[in-house]
């Protein structure tokens, strides 16, 4: 379904601005930029976010990025 990782991950990735998804020089820079983006978004929008699923997604994304590094 739409909540499955294989569906949700590309959907979230494709919703990010190109400045974040373009190749960065390090994982720490990627994390910094992603954090800044979501912090900025949280100041503009109020959303009902399932924090447990979001944390799981970012843990899996981090593992995938480290495996591909």
């Amino acid at each position: 379904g739409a909540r499955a990782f294989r569906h949700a991950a590309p959907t979230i990735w494709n919703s990010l601005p190109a400045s974040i998804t373009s190749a960065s020089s390090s994982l720490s820079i990627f994390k910094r930029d992603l954090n800044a983006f979501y912090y900025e978004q949280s100041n503009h929008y109020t959303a009902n976010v399932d924090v447990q699923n979001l944390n799981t997604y970012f843990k899996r994304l981090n593992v995938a990025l480290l495996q591909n590094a």
Side-chain angles (χ1 to χ4, degrees), residues 36-69:
F37 171 74
Y38 280 122
Y39 180 77
E40 182 181 318
Q41 293 298 309
S42 70
N43 288 332
H44 296 291
Y45 303 102
T46 302
N48 182 13
V49 177
D50 184 344
V51 176
Q52 177 89 19
N53 284 337
L54 190 59
N55 284 335
T56 301
Y57 164 75
F58 282 116
K59 286 177 185 175
R60 289 178 180 170
L61 178 60
N62 192 24
V63 168
L65 288 170
L66 290 174
Q67 290 175 348
N68 291 328

Side-chain angles (χ1 to χ4, degrees), residues 6-22:
R6 67 180 185 194
H7 176 76
T11 301
I12 293 171
W13 182 261
N14 291 335
S15 71
L16 295 173
S19 60
I20 295 175
T21 59
S22 63

